[in-house]
Amino acid sequence: SYDLTQPPSVSVSPGQTATITCSGEKLGDKYISWYQQKPGQSPVLVIYQDIKRPSGIPERFSGSKSGNAAALTISGTQAMDEADYYCQAWDSNTHVFGTGTKVTVL
Amino acid sequence: EVQLVESGGGLVQPGGSLRLSCAASGFTFSSYALSWVRRAPGKGLEWVSLISSRDGMIYYADSVRGRFTISRDNSKNTLYLQMNRLRAEDTAQYYCAKEIHYDSIGHAFNVWGPGTTVTVSS
């Protein structure tokens, strides 16, 4: 089965930049999406097709990819950005989610 | 407004069955692939199953293949998940989710329902 690996946690001070990584084999051949999930809420799509931002998602969220690693960057992090974040890809006719990263805004 | 609303969750004994439903509104239901995704307590998101928009392609995660069946009724704008031989590890919040692109699969989920809770316990 295909695996996407993320760091379990990332801590960031308000106003600073948080970067969440996602690694997997042949990631360069796949589109990566990113989701934000807050406690008790449904996931929200924040980035798709590596770098595209859905309407309504703040510009401080951006995506990038290089080689076998993708990244979600939150610039000027706000307290409301504290949440779990998941990357996701399509492989062998399955959607695969990353292991998830808890972002804490200190 | 584009909306998905799940129902049918509850408490069931190991080995039992449940049927989840997901009612859709605000978009052309028949034109989009749909998936079920779950999140178990203390765990991350896990994709469960997908059904395509028109050609009936269906895919399952290894963890549920042979026990769960996904289906859709385009006349009722409703997605279903029949869950049989349930196990404790199937306990989770179950979400239905819509693919972002028309008549396409394998990209991203741009609409999610609020979820329905399934608890498998004796």
Side-chain angles (χ1 to χ4, degrees):
Chain A
S1 64
Y2 188 73
D3 295 321
L4 291 172
T5 302
Q6 300 177 231
S9 62
V10 166
S11 296
V12 60
S13 299
Q16 299 304 302
T17 297
T19 301
I20 305 163
T21 58
C22 174
S23 61
E25 276 192 42
K26 299 184 179 179
L27 211 58
D29 299 338
K30 308 177 192 304
Y31 277 134
I32 297 300
S33 301
W34 290 91
Y35 301 86
Q36 174 195 70
Q37 187 176 28
K38 298 180 180 180
Q41 297 184 20
S42 304
V44 173
L45 178 67
V46 295
I47 294 290
Y48 68 102
Q49 288 180 216
D50 299 338
I51 60 171
K52 295 183 177 181
R53 200 171 47 247
S55 60
I57 300 301
E59 290 185 9
R60 63 179 181 274
F61 289 91
S62 63
S64 62
K65 195 172 69 176
S66 177
N68 284 340
L72 174 68
T73 300
I74 311 172
S75 304
T77 306
Q78 300 182 9
M80 68 173 65
D81 300 329
E82 187 163 285
D84 293 328
Y85 291 83
Y86 297 89
C87 59
Q88 172 255 314
W90 176 255
D91 179 82
S92 300
N93 295 327
T94 63
H95 278 289
V96 179
F97 286 98
T99 49
T101 299
K102 182 176 181 58
V103 170
T104 302
V105 183
L106 298 171
Chain B
E1 180 190 4
V2 177
Q3 200 170 10
L4 298 171
V5 179
E6 305 90 341
S7 61
L11 173 64
V12 61
Q13 291 188 340
S17 298
L18 272 180
R19 189 196 198 200
L20 306 183
S21 299
C22 173
S25 59
F27 65 99
T28 305
F29 181 80
S30 59
S31 296
Y32 290 88
L34 296 159
S35 282
W36 288 98
V37 178
R38 67 186 181 184
R39 185 172 184 183
K43 305 277 190 176
L45 294 174
E46 180 187 16
W47 172 79
V48 172
S49 181
L50 175 150
I51 185 165
S52 65
S53 55
R54 300 183 194 275
D55 58 7
M57 298 300 291
I58 286 174
Y59 304 102
Y60 296 101
D62 289 344
S63 57
V64 306
R65 186 177 295 112
R67 300 186 300 122
F68 290 11
T69 303
I70 192 172
S71 62
R72 64 191 296 163
D73 185 336
N74 289 340
S75 69
K76 295 182 178 179
N77 288 359
T78 303
L79 173 72
Y80 302 100
L81 185 68
Q82 177 66 42
M83 305 186 296
N84 298 332
R85 289 186 281 145
L86 282 160
R87 305 166 180 167
E89 54 264 36
D90 295 318
T91 294
Q93 186 80 352
Y94 283 74
Y95 302 96
C96 61
K98 169 189 165 291
E99 289 268 351
I100 191 170
H101 294 311
Y102 178 95
D103 270 347
S104 180
I105 63 172
H107 288 89
F109 304 119
N110 68 330
V111 181
W112 296 67
T116 188
T117 304
V118 172
T119 303
V120 184
S121 174
S122 54

